[in-house]
Amino acid sequence: MDCCPSSRRQALAWAGLVAVLPFADVATGAGAASAAARPKRLLVTDLDVVTVTDTSVVITWFTGSTTEVDRYGAPTPVPTDTELLLGEPGNPGSLRTVFHDTSPTAFHYAEVHGLEPGRTYAFQGRSAGQVAQQSALQFPGSGGSMDAPGVFTTLLPPPGRYLFTVALCNDLHMGEQTAGVIVGDWPPSFRQDPGLPPYPEVMLEALLADLRQPDRGADVLLVAGDLTAEARPKDVTRVRQLLDGWGRLGRDYFVARGNHDRPHVGQDYAGCTPVPGADDHHDCWGDTFRYRRQTLSTHEVGGLRIIGLDTTTLDAAGGTLDDGQLADLRRELREDRDRPTLLFGHHPVTFESAVTTAAGPGFDLDQVKARELEALYRRAPGVFFHHCGHTHRNKRTFAQDSKAVEFLEVAAAKEYPGGYALLRCHTGGYQVNFYKTRTELAKRWSQRTRAEYFGTWTHYTLGTIADRNHTVVRDLSGLRPVR
């Protein structure tokens, strides 16, 4: 996960982890599969309530064999049907089928629209008539979440008129061939099946295809770092090619550098621009995306000011902000203090994030610089959101002395849970929702990488429902639609 050799402390930290109702959009088919049609020895598990909006829900699960395993010791996939039932909490007899897709798959993705805002629903996922079981840890009440098994509560919509949608993603790792390694060959890691496309391409292509679908409708995309595994020229070129197929850099999508995208040393990088003062380092990522190290970028979408930060160092996994970039940011924010502003950069900022990051506080933004950044935000009332990646988890935090700015870590695109967040802006606030990608190959890879870090990965990365799905009331009336 790190760009650089892991410290013993980071490795030990990771090791510590081892330790009634009319509903719309009912799909084809009806009712549960008959007992006669049920495959024998079927495991129906790994149920996740992934996305909860004001009017919809996405619930996923997996069906596998209880007697056959793959080369990693995981149950082999068993394709069967996908059925979702909803009803009233505490009343099992009220459960009714609202989604039933008879197309066989082992990687089940049930999405239902037309729900009532602010309402609590009981739910049940089924395949071949068997009830799907949750396997990830639950966090009742954490961060305002109500992650209780068997129920979810839809959000209230943001006030005012809908304006536009900003997609947030990070940690694409183009060029990576092995997932889940910390140092050397430890812990056990995962690779793509022979004959299939590289998994970073599978996951990014699925993400970009999703964002153009009418039910997602992203207007712009922010990529908060680690676009590549190690910034090799061919990988930087490939990720730029895929992103350019979706839109134009600086207009439709915006990027910030991550620690994996840093300038590198070695013959593979010798043809790229040397870094001033560190001529043995060559900046292939900067050559392709036209951003110099430790410089910010500014953009505008529908009146929203978007500022990208470069929080990377030359040789470390942790992040920083140099004095020059902080001075530039100070000037930018001072010139228009009240303008609605969103910032994004690779490394998480807050103290809460630092002390809950599995690899330790040194993995995040340098905490002295982090406090300076938070102080700048306090003096600019228009700043309301900071998007970051790096930890590969969904985690929502705030500065210790203020709730005015939301700091959101979004889970990695390249592995479980494998997705992106949508920030839907209204004149009276915004709603955040996390979505898994949904092509068959993407779902297959996401399922495989649930088992990273001895099976602890899901408990760390998915986050609570409130981390990845929430509504915030805020005056954004100065913004305008972009379509």
Side-chain angles (χ1 to χ4, degrees), residues 177-241:
Q177 298 182 23
T178 304
V181 171
I182 297 176
V183 60
D185 295 324
W186 186 87
S189 56
F190 299 87
R191 297 177 70 90
Q192 181 65 288
D193 289 331
L196 293 180
Y199 64 82
E201 295 196 19
V202 166
M203 301 304 281
L204 178 55
E205 288 178 331
L207 185 155
L208 296 176
D210 249 20
L211 297 183
R212 288 301 191 204
Q213 296 301 313
D215 56 357
R216 302 295 184 259
D219 295 289
V220 294
L221 170 64
L222 308 185
V223 189
D226 281 2
L227 284 73
T228 66
E230 292 299 337
R232 291 183 175 86
K234 66 176 183 178
D235 299 327
V236 182
T237 298
R238 181 57 176 156
V239 74
R240 173 77 194 260
Q241 179 185 36

Short mmCIF file of all heavy atoms in Angstrom, two decimals, residues 177-241:
data_model
loop_
_atom_site.label_atom_id
_atom_site.label_comp_id
_atom_site.label_asym_id
_atom_site.label_seq_id
_atom_site.Cartn_x
_atom_site.Cartn_y
_atom_site.Cartn_z
N GLN A 177 0.28 -4.88 -10.11
CA GLN A 177 -0.02 -6.26 -10.48
C GLN A 177 -0.38 -7.14 -9.30
O GLN A 177 -0.91 -8.24 -9.50
CB GLN A 177 1.18 -6.87 -11.22
CG GLN A 177 1.51 -6.16 -12.52
CD GLN A 177 2.66 -6.80 -13.26
OE1 GLN A 177 2.96 -7.98 -13.08
NE2 GLN A 177 3.31 -6.03 -14.10
N THR A 178 -0.09 -6.69 -8.09
CA THR A 178 -0.36 -7.48 -6.89
C THR A 178 -1.01 -6.58 -5.85
O THR A 178 -0.50 -5.50 -5.55
CB THR A 178 0.93 -8.07 -6.31
OG1 THR A 178 1.59 -8.84 -7.33
CG2 THR A 178 0.63 -8.98 -5.14
N ALA A 179 -2.13 -7.01 -5.30
CA ALA A 179 -2.87 -6.20 -4.33
C ALA A 179 -2.73 -6.79 -2.94
O ALA A 179 -2.74 -8.01 -2.76
CB ALA A 179 -4.35 -6.15 -4.71
N GLY A 180 -2.57 -5.92 -1.94
CA GLY A 180 -2.59 -6.34 -0.56
C GLY A 180 -1.24 -6.57 0.06
O GLY A 180 -1.16 -7.06 1.19
N VAL A 181 -0.16 -6.21 -0.62
CA VAL A 181 1.18 -6.40 -0.07
C VAL A 181 1.57 -5.18 0.76
O VAL A 181 1.31 -4.04 0.37
CB VAL A 181 2.22 -6.60 -1.20
CG1 VAL A 181 3.63 -6.57 -0.64
CG2 VAL A 181 1.97 -7.92 -1.91
N ILE A 182 2.18 -5.41 1.90
CA ILE A 182 2.74 -4.33 2.71
C ILE A 182 4.25 -4.27 2.52
O ILE A 182 4.81 -3.24 2.20
CB ILE A 182 2.39 -4.49 4.20
CG1 ILE A 182 0.87 -4.42 4.39
CG2 ILE A 182 3.08 -3.42 5.04
CD1 ILE A 182 0.43 -4.68 5.82
N VAL A 183 4.90 -5.39 2.72
CA VAL A 183 6.35 -5.43 2.55
C VAL A 183 6.75 -6.83 2.12
O VAL A 183 6.22 -7.82 2.66
CB VAL A 183 7.08 -5.00 3.85
CG1 VAL A 183 6.72 -5.90 5.01
CG2 VAL A 183 8.59 -4.96 3.64
N GLY A 184 7.65 -6.93 1.13
CA GLY A 184 8.10 -8.23 0.65
C GLY A 184 6.93 -9.04 0.12
O GLY A 184 6.16 -8.56 -0.71
N ASP A 185 6.78 -10.25 0.61
CA ASP A 185 5.66 -11.11 0.23
C ASP A 185 4.63 -11.22 1.34
O ASP A 185 3.84 -12.18 1.39
CB ASP A 185 6.18 -12.52 -0.14
CG ASP A 185 7.06 -12.50 -1.37
OD1 ASP A 185 6.76 -11.71 -2.29
OD2 ASP A 185 8.04 -13.26 -1.41
N TRP A 186 4.63 -10.25 2.24
CA TRP A 186 3.72 -10.30 3.40
C TRP A 186 2.77 -9.12 3.36
O TRP A 186 3.17 -8.01 3.05
CB TRP A 186 4.55 -10.23 4.69
CG TRP A 186 3.71 -10.42 5.92
CD1 TRP A 186 3.37 -11.59 6.51
CD2 TRP A 186 3.09 -9.39 6.70
NE1 TRP A 186 2.59 -11.36 7.62
CE2 TRP A 186 2.40 -10.02 7.76
CE3 TRP A 186 3.05 -7.99 6.59
CZ2 TRP A 186 1.68 -9.31 8.71
CZ3 TRP A 186 2.33 -7.28 7.54
CH2 TRP A 186 1.66 -7.94 8.59
N PRO A 187 1.49 -9.31 3.68
CA PRO A 187 0.82 -10.59 3.91
C PRO A 187 0.46 -11.27 2.58
O PRO A 187 0.81 -10.74 1.52
CB PRO A 187 -0.44 -10.16 4.66
CG PRO A 187 -0.75 -8.81 4.12
CD PRO A 187 0.59 -8.16 3.86
N PRO A 188 -0.25 -12.39 2.60
CA PRO A 188 -0.68 -13.03 1.35
C PRO A 188 -1.42 -12.03 0.47
O PRO A 188 -2.27 -11.27 0.95
CB PRO A 188 -1.59 -14.16 1.83
CG PRO A 188 -1.11 -14.48 3.20
CD PRO A 188 -0.67 -13.16 3.79
N SER A 189 -1.09 -12.03 -0.82
CA SER A 189 -1.62 -11.00 -1.73
C SER A 189 -2.44 -11.65 -2.84
O SER A 189 -2.59 -12.88 -2.90
CB SER A 189 -0.45 -10.21 -2.32
OG SER A 189 0.45 -11.09 -2.96
N PHE A 190 -2.95 -10.81 -3.72
CA PHE A 190 -3.90 -11.26 -4.73
C PHE A 190 -3.51 -10.72 -6.10
O PHE A 190 -3.07 -9.59 -6.23
CB PHE A 190 -5.32 -10.78 -4.36
CG PHE A 190 -5.78 -11.33 -3.05
CD1 PHE A 190 -5.47 -10.68 -1.86
CD2 PHE A 190 -6.48 -12.51 -2.99
CE1 PHE A 190 -5.87 -11.20 -0.63
CE2 PHE A 190 -6.90 -13.05 -1.78
CZ PHE A 190 -6.59 -12.39 -0.60
N ARG A 191 -3.73 -11.57 -7.12
CA ARG A 191 -3.42 -11.21 -8.49
C ARG A 191 -4.62 -11.50 -9.38
O ARG A 191 -5.51 -12.29 -9.03
CB ARG A 191 -2.19 -11.97 -9.00
CG ARG A 191 -0.91 -11.65 -8.23
CD ARG A 191 0.25 -12.48 -8.72
NE ARG A 191 0.70 -12.08 -10.04
CZ ARG A 191 1.63 -11.15 -10.27
NH1 ARG A 191 2.21 -10.52 -9.27
NH2 ARG A 191 1.99 -10.85 -11.49
N GLN A 192 -4.63 -10.86 -10.54
CA GLN A 192 -5.69 -11.08 -11.51
C GLN A 192 -5.57 -12.46 -12.12
O GLN A 192 -4.48 -13.03 -12.23
CB GLN A 192 -5.61 -10.00 -12.61
CG GLN A 192 -6.68 -10.09 -13.69
CD GLN A 192 -8.07 -9.84 -13.15
OE1 GLN A 192 -8.61 -10.70 -12.45
NE2 GLN A 192 -8.65 -8.69 -13.49
N ASP A 193 -6.70 -13.05 -12.53
CA ASP A 193 -6.69 -14.35 -13.20
C ASP A 193 -6.04 -14.24 -14.57
O ASP A 193 -6.21 -13.22 -15.27
CB ASP A 193 -8.11 -14.88 -13.36
CG ASP A 193 -8.72 -15.30 -12.04
OD1 ASP A 193 -7.95 -15.70 -11.13
OD2 ASP A 193 -9.95 -15.24 -11.91
N PRO A 194 -5.30 -15.26 -14.99
CA PRO A 194 -4.69 -15.24 -16.32
C PRO A 194 -5.73 -15.02 -17.42
O PRO A 194 -6.84 -15.55 -17.36
CB PRO A 194 -4.06 -16.64 -16.43
CG PRO A 194 -3.84 -17.07 -15.01
CD PRO A 194 -4.98 -16.48 -14.24
N GLY A 195 -5.35 -14.21 -18.39
CA GLY A 195 -6.23 -13.95 -19.53
C GLY A 195 -7.18 -12.79 -19.35
O GLY A 195 -7.82 -12.36 -20.31
N LEU A 196 -7.28 -12.26 -18.13
CA LEU A 196 -8.16 -11.11 -17.88
C LEU A 196 -7.34 -9.82 -17.90
O LEU A 196 -6.13 -9.84 -17.66
CB LEU A 196 -8.86 -11.26 -16.53
CG LEU A 196 -9.86 -12.39 -16.41
CD1 LEU A 196 -10.48 -12.41 -15.02
CD2 LEU A 196 -10.96 -12.28 -17.48
N PRO A 197 -7.97 -8.69 -18.19
CA PRO A 197 -7.24 -7.41 -18.20
C PRO A 197 -6.68 -7.09 -16.82
O PRO A 197 -7.20 -7.57 -15.80
CB PRO A 197 -8.31 -6.39 -18.62
CG PRO A 197 -9.42 -7.19 -19.21
CD PRO A 197 -9.39 -8.52 -18.54
N PRO A 198 -5.62 -6.28 -16.75
CA PRO A 198 -5.09 -5.88 -15.45
C PRO A 198 -6.17 -5.26 -14.57
O PRO A 198 -6.99 -4.46 -15.04
CB PRO A 198 -4.01 -4.86 -15.81
CG PRO A 198 -3.63 -5.16 -17.22
CD PRO A 198 -4.88 -5.66 -17.88
N TYR A 199 -6.18 -5.60 -13.31
CA TYR A 199 -7.28 -5.16 -12.47
C TYR A 199 -7.36 -3.64 -12.29
O TYR A 199 -8.48 -3.11 -12.19
CB TYR A 199 -7.27 -5.86 -11.11
CG TYR A 199 -6.09 -5.61 -10.22
CD1 TYR A 199 -6.00 -4.47 -9.43
CD2 TYR A 199 -5.05 -6.53 -10.13
CE1 TYR A 199 -4.92 -4.24 -8.60
CE2 TYR A 199 -3.96 -6.32 -9.30
CZ TYR A 199 -3.90 -5.18 -8.53
OH TYR A 199 -2.82 -4.97 -7.71
N PRO A 200 -6.24 -2.86 -12.29
CA PRO A 200 -6.45 -1.41 -12.22
C PRO A 200 -7.22 -0.87 -13.42
O PRO A 200 -8.01 0.08 -13.28
CB PRO A 200 -5.02 -0.85 -12.17
CG PRO A 200 -4.20 -1.98 -11.61
CD PRO A 200 -4.81 -3.21 -12.20
N GLU A 201 -7.01 -1.46 -14.59
CA GLU A 201 -7.77 -1.02 -15.77
C GLU A 201 -9.23 -1.46 -15.67
O GLU A 201 -10.14 -0.69 -16.01
CB GLU A 201 -7.14 -1.58 -17.05
CG GLU A 201 -5.74 -1.03 -17.31
CD GLU A 201 -5.29 -1.26 -18.74
OE1 GLU A 201 -6.14 -1.51 -19.62
OE2 GLU A 201 -4.08 -1.17 -18.99
N VAL A 202 -9.47 -2.68 -15.20
CA VAL A 202 -10.84 -3.15 -15.01
C VAL A 202 -11.61 -2.20 -14.10
O VAL A 202 -12.75 -1.79 -14.40
CB VAL A 202 -10.84 -4.58 -14.42
CG1 VAL A 202 -12.23 -4.96 -13.90
CG2 VAL A 202 -10.37 -5.59 -15.45
N MET A 203 -11.00 -1.83 -13.00
CA MET A 203 -11.70 -1.02 -12.00
C MET A 203 -11.89 0.42 -12.46
O MET A 203 -12.95 1.02 -12.23
CB MET A 203 -10.96 -1.07 -10.67
CG MET A 203 -10.79 -2.48 -10.10
SD MET A 203 -12.35 -3.38 -9.88
CE MET A 203 -12.94 -2.63 -8.36
N LEU A 204 -10.90 0.99 -13.14
CA LEU A 204 -11.05 2.36 -13.62
C LEU A 204 -12.05 2.44 -14.76
O LEU A 204 -12.88 3.35 -14.81
CB LEU A 204 -9.69 2.93 -14.05
CG LEU A 204 -9.73 4.35 -14.63
CD1 LEU A 204 -10.38 5.34 -13.67
CD2 LEU A 204 -8.33 4.81 -15.02
N GLU A 205 -11.99 1.49 -15.68
CA GLU A 205 -12.95 1.51 -16.79
C GLU A 205 -14.38 1.34 -16.28
O GLU A 205 -15.31 1.98 -16.78
CB GLU A 205 -12.59 0.43 -17.80
CG GLU A 205 -11.34 0.75 -18.61
CD GLU A 205 -10.97 -0.34 -19.59
OE1 GLU A 205 -11.28 -1.52 -19.31
OE2 GLU A 205 -10.37 -0.02 -20.64
N ALA A 206 -14.56 0.51 -15.26
CA ALA A 206 -15.90 0.35 -14.68
C ALA A 206 -16.36 1.64 -14.02
O ALA A 206 -17.53 2.03 -14.13
CB ALA A 206 -15.89 -0.80 -13.67
N LEU A 207 -15.45 2.31 -13.33
CA LEU A 207 -15.78 3.57 -12.66
C LEU A 207 -16.19 4.63 -13.69
O LEU A 207 -17.23 5.29 -13.54
CB LEU A 207 -14.57 4.03 -11.85
CG LEU A 207 -14.68 5.27 -10.98
CD1 LEU A 207 -13.66 5.18 -9.84
CD2 LEU A 207 -14.44 6.56 -11.74
N LEU A 208 -15.39 4.78 -14.73
CA LEU A 208 -15.69 5.82 -15.72
C LEU A 208 -16.99 5.52 -16.47
O LEU A 208 -17.76 6.44 -16.77
CB LEU A 208 -14.53 5.93 -16.70
CG LEU A 208 -13.20 6.40 -16.08
CD1 LEU A 208 -12.08 6.37 -17.11
CD2 LEU A 208 -13.33 7.78 -15.47
N ALA A 209 -17.25 4.25 -16.74
CA ALA A 209 -18.51 3.89 -17.40
C ALA A 209 -19.70 4.21 -16.51
O ALA A 209 -20.74 4.69 -16.97
CB ALA A 209 -18.49 2.41 -17.77
N ASP A 210 -19.55 3.94 -15.21
CA ASP A 210 -20.61 4.23 -14.26
C ASP A 210 -20.99 5.70 -14.24
O ASP A 210 -22.16 6.06 -14.19
CB ASP A 210 -20.16 3.82 -12.85
CG ASP A 210 -20.90 2.62 -12.31
OD1 ASP A 210 -21.48 1.87 -13.12
OD2 ASP A 210 -20.90 2.43 -11.09
N LEU A 211 -19.98 6.56 -14.25
CA LEU A 211 -20.23 7.98 -14.04
C LEU A 211 -21.04 8.62 -15.13
O LEU A 211 -21.67 9.67 -14.92
CB LEU A 211 -18.89 8.72 -13.88
CG LEU A 211 -18.04 8.32 -12.69
CD1 LEU A 211 -16.78 9.17 -12.63
CD2 LEU A 211 -18.82 8.43 -11.38
N ARG A 212 -21.04 8.04 -16.31
CA ARG A 212 -21.82 8.58 -17.42
C ARG A 212 -23.24 8.02 -17.49
O ARG A 212 -24.05 8.47 -18.30
CB ARG A 212 -21.11 8.29 -18.76
CG ARG A 212 -19.85 9.12 -18.99
CD ARG A 212 -20.12 10.60 -18.98
NE ARG A 212 -18.99 11.39 -19.46
CZ ARG A 212 -18.77 12.66 -19.14
NH1 ARG A 212 -19.60 13.28 -18.31
NH2 ARG A 212 -17.73 13.31 -19.63
N GLN A 213 -23.56 7.04 -16.66
CA GLN A 213 -24.90 6.48 -16.66
C GLN A 213 -25.89 7.48 -16.07
O GLN A 213 -25.56 8.23 -15.15
CB GLN A 213 -24.93 5.18 -15.87
CG GLN A 213 -24.09 4.06 -16.46
CD GLN A 213 -24.51 3.70 -17.86
OE1 GLN A 213 -25.70 3.53 -18.14
NE2 GLN A 213 -23.54 3.61 -18.77
N PRO A 214 -27.13 7.50 -16.58
CA PRO A 214 -28.12 8.48 -16.09
C PRO A 214 -28.37 8.40 -14.59
O PRO A 214 -28.68 9.41 -13.96
CB PRO A 214 -29.38 8.12 -16.89
CG PRO A 214 -28.88 7.44 -18.12
CD PRO A 214 -27.66 6.69 -17.70
N ASP A 215 -28.25 7.20 -14.00
CA ASP A 215 -28.52 7.09 -12.57
C ASP A 215 -27.36 7.56 -11.71
O ASP A 215 -27.46 7.59 -10.48
CB ASP A 215 -28.91 5.65 -12.20
CG ASP A 215 -27.87 4.62 -12.62
OD1 ASP A 215 -26.86 5.00 -13.24
OD2 ASP A 215 -28.08 3.42 -12.34
N ARG A 216 -26.23 7.92 -12.32
CA ARG A 216 -25.10 8.50 -11.59
C ARG A 216 -24.91 9.97 -12.02
O ARG A 216 -24.84 10.84 -11.20
CB ARG A 216 -23.82 7.69 -11.81
CG ARG A 216 -23.96 6.22 -11.40
CD ARG A 216 -24.18 6.04 -9.91
NE ARG A 216 -24.20 4.61 -9.56
CZ ARG A 216 -25.30 3.91 -9.35
NH1 ARG A 216 -26.50 4.50 -9.43
NH2 ARG A 216 -25.23 2.63 -9.02
N GLY A 217 -24.76 10.21 -13.30
CA GLY A 217 -24.81 11.56 -13.85
C GLY A 217 -23.77 12.51 -13.33
O GLY A 217 -24.09 13.67 -13.01
N ALA A 218 -22.51 12.08 -13.24
CA ALA A 218 -21.46 12.98 -12.77
C ALA A 218 -21.14 14.04 -13.82
O ALA A 218 -21.01 13.74 -15.00
CB ALA A 218 -20.20 12.19 -12.44
N ASP A 219 -21.01 15.27 -13.37
CA ASP A 219 -20.65 16.37 -14.27
C ASP A 219 -19.14 16.55 -14.37
O ASP A 219 -18.62 16.87 -15.43
CB ASP A 219 -21.30 17.66 -13.78
CG ASP A 219 -22.81 17.61 -13.88
OD1 ASP A 219 -23.33 17.64 -15.01
OD2 ASP A 219 -23.46 17.52 -12.82
N VAL A 220 -18.44 16.37 -13.26
CA VAL A 220 -16.98 16.46 -13.24
C VAL A 220 -16.44 15.38 -12.30
O VAL A 220 -17.17 14.85 -11.45
CB VAL A 220 -16.46 17.84 -12.79
CG1 VAL A 220 -16.84 18.92 -13.80
CG2 VAL A 220 -16.98 18.19 -11.40
N LEU A 221 -15.15 15.08 -12.45
CA LEU A 221 -14.50 14.03 -11.68
C LEU A 221 -13.22 14.58 -11.05
O LEU A 221 -12.41 15.22 -11.73
CB LEU A 221 -14.16 12.85 -12.60
CG LEU A 221 -13.25 11.75 -12.04
CD1 LEU A 221 -13.91 11.04 -10.86
CD2 LEU A 221 -12.89 10.75 -13.14
N LEU A 222 -13.04 14.33 -9.75
CA LEU A 222 -11.81 14.66 -9.05
C LEU A 222 -11.09 13.36 -8.70
O LEU A 222 -11.69 12.44 -8.13
CB LEU A 222 -12.09 15.43 -7.75
CG LEU A 222 -12.98 16.67 -7.82
CD1 LEU A 222 -13.03 17.35 -6.46
CD2 LEU A 222 -12.50 17.63 -8.88
N VAL A 223 -9.80 13.30 -9.03
CA VAL A 223 -8.99 12.12 -8.73
C VAL A 223 -7.90 12.54 -7.75
O VAL A 223 -6.95 13.23 -8.13
CB VAL A 223 -8.37 11.51 -10.00
CG1 VAL A 223 -7.72 10.17 -9.67
CG2 VAL A 223 -9.41 11.35 -11.10
N ALA A 224 -8.04 12.12 -6.50
CA ALA A 224 -7.17 12.61 -5.43
C ALA A 224 -5.97 11.69 -5.21
O ALA A 224 -5.74 11.17 -4.13
CB ALA A 224 -7.96 12.77 -4.14
N GLY A 225 -5.18 11.52 -6.25
CA GLY A 225 -3.88 10.91 -6.09
C GLY A 225 -3.78 9.41 -6.24
O GLY A 225 -4.77 8.69 -6.26
N ASP A 226 -2.53 8.97 -6.38
CA ASP A 226 -2.18 7.57 -6.67
C ASP A 226 -2.89 7.09 -7.92
O ASP A 226 -3.54 6.03 -7.93
CB ASP A 226 -2.47 6.67 -5.47
CG ASP A 226 -1.38 6.77 -4.41
OD1 ASP A 226 -0.43 7.57 -4.60
OD2 ASP A 226 -1.46 6.05 -3.40
N LEU A 227 -2.75 7.86 -8.98
CA LEU A 227 -3.26 7.44 -10.28
C LEU A 227 -2.47 6.24 -10.80
O LEU A 227 -2.97 5.47 -11.61
CB LEU A 227 -3.21 8.58 -11.29
CG LEU A 227 -4.29 9.67 -11.14
CD1 LEU A 227 -4.06 10.55 -9.94
CD2 LEU A 227 -4.38 10.51 -12.40
N THR A 228 -1.21 6.11 -10.36
CA THR A 228 -0.34 5.04 -10.81
C THR A 228 0.22 4.27 -9.63
O THR A 228 0.15 4.73 -8.48
CB THR A 228 0.85 5.59 -11.63
OG1 THR A 228 1.68 6.38 -10.77
CG2 THR A 228 0.37 6.45 -12.79
N ALA A 229 0.80 3.11 -9.94
CA ALA A 229 1.44 2.30 -8.91
C ALA A 229 2.82 2.85 -8.56
O ALA A 229 3.17 2.94 -7.38
CB ALA A 229 1.54 0.85 -9.35
N GLU A 230 3.61 3.19 -9.58
CA GLU A 230 4.95 3.72 -9.33
C GLU A 230 5.36 4.75 -10.38
O GLU A 230 6.55 4.93 -10.63
CB GLU A 230 5.98 2.59 -9.28
CG GLU A 230 5.84 1.65 -8.09
CD GLU A 230 5.99 2.35 -6.74
OE1 GLU A 230 6.61 3.42 -6.69
OE2 GLU A 230 5.47 1.82 -5.74
N ALA A 231 4.42 5.39 -11.03
CA ALA A 231 4.67 6.51 -11.96
C ALA A 231 5.57 6.12 -13.13
O ALA A 231 6.27 6.98 -13.68
CB ALA A 231 5.25 7.72 -11.22
N ARG A 232 5.53 4.86 -13.54
CA ARG A 232 6.29 4.49 -14.73
C ARG A 232 5.66 5.15 -15.95
O ARG A 232 4.44 5.28 -16.04
CB ARG A 232 6.33 2.97 -14.89
CG ARG A 232 7.16 2.28 -13.83
CD ARG A 232 7.25 0.78 -14.05
NE ARG A 232 8.14 0.16 -13.08
CZ ARG A 232 7.76 -0.24 -11.87
NH1 ARG A 232 6.49 -0.10 -11.51
NH2 ARG A 232 8.62 -0.78 -11.03
N PRO A 233 6.49 5.57 -16.92
CA PRO A 233 5.95 6.31 -18.07
C PRO A 233 4.78 5.63 -18.74
O PRO A 233 3.78 6.28 -19.07
CB PRO A 233 7.16 6.45 -18.98
CG PRO A 233 8.33 6.45 -18.06
CD PRO A 233 7.97 5.50 -16.95
N LYS A 234 4.86 4.31 -18.97
CA LYS A 234 3.77 3.64 -19.68
C LYS A 234 2.48 3.63 -18.86
O LYS A 234 1.37 3.70 -19.41
CB LYS A 234 4.17 2.21 -20.04
CG LYS A 234 4.36 1.28 -18.86
CD LYS A 234 4.66 -0.16 -19.31
CE LYS A 234 4.78 -1.09 -18.12
NZ LYS A 234 5.03 -2.49 -18.55
N ASP A 235 2.61 3.58 -17.54
CA ASP A 235 1.41 3.57 -16.69
C ASP A 235 0.80 4.96 -16.58
O ASP A 235 -0.43 5.10 -16.56
CB ASP A 235 1.76 3.04 -15.31
CG ASP A 235 2.28 1.61 -15.35
OD1 ASP A 235 1.82 0.84 -16.21
OD2 ASP A 235 3.16 1.27 -14.53
N VAL A 236 1.64 6.00 -16.51
CA VAL A 236 1.12 7.36 -16.51
C VAL A 236 0.40 7.64 -17.83
O VAL A 236 -0.69 8.23 -17.85
CB VAL A 236 2.25 8.38 -16.28
CG1 VAL A 236 1.68 9.79 -16.22
CG2 VAL A 236 3.00 8.08 -14.99
N THR A 237 0.99 7.20 -18.93
CA THR A 237 0.37 7.40 -20.24
C THR A 237 -0.96 6.68 -20.32
O THR A 237 -1.95 7.21 -20.83
CB THR A 237 1.31 6.90 -21.34
OG1 THR A 237 2.52 7.66 -21.32
CG2 THR A 237 0.66 7.03 -22.72
N ARG A 238 -1.01 5.44 -19.79
CA ARG A 238 -2.24 4.65 -19.88
C ARG A 238 -3.36 5.26 -19.04
O ARG A 238 -4.51 5.35 -19.51
CB ARG A 238 -1.97 3.22 -19.42
CG ARG A 238 -3.19 2.29 -19.48
CD ARG A 238 -3.78 2.22 -20.87
NE ARG A 238 -4.88 1.27 -20.94
CZ ARG A 238 -5.86 1.32 -21.84
NH1 ARG A 238 -5.87 2.29 -22.76
NH2 ARG A 238 -6.81 0.42 -21.85
N VAL A 239 -3.07 5.69 -17.82
CA VAL A 239 -4.14 6.25 -17.01
C VAL A 239 -4.62 7.57 -17.60
O VAL A 239 -5.83 7.86 -17.59
CB VAL A 239 -3.69 6.41 -15.53
CG1 VAL A 239 -2.74 7.55 -15.33
CG2 VAL A 239 -4.90 6.55 -14.62
N ARG A 240 -3.73 8.35 -18.15
CA ARG A 240 -4.15 9.59 -18.82
C ARG A 240 -5.03 9.27 -20.03
O ARG A 240 -6.03 9.95 -20.29
CB ARG A 240 -2.91 10.39 -19.24
CG ARG A 240 -3.18 11.64 -20.08
CD ARG A 240 -3.70 12.80 -19.26
NE ARG A 240 -4.25 13.86 -20.08
CZ ARG A 240 -3.62 14.98 -20.43
NH1 ARG A 240 -2.37 15.20 -20.00
NH2 ARG A 240 -4.21 15.91 -21.15
N GLN A 241 -4.68 8.23 -20.78
CA GLN A 241 -5.47 7.83 -21.94
C GLN A 241 -6.89 7.45 -21.54
O GLN A 241 -7.87 7.86 -22.18
CB GLN A 241 -4.79 6.66 -22.64
CG GLN A 241 -5.52 6.14 -23.86
CD GLN A 241 -4.85 4.89 -24.44
OE1 GLN A 241 -4.34 4.05 -23.70
NE2 GLN A 241 -4.84 4.77 -25.76
#
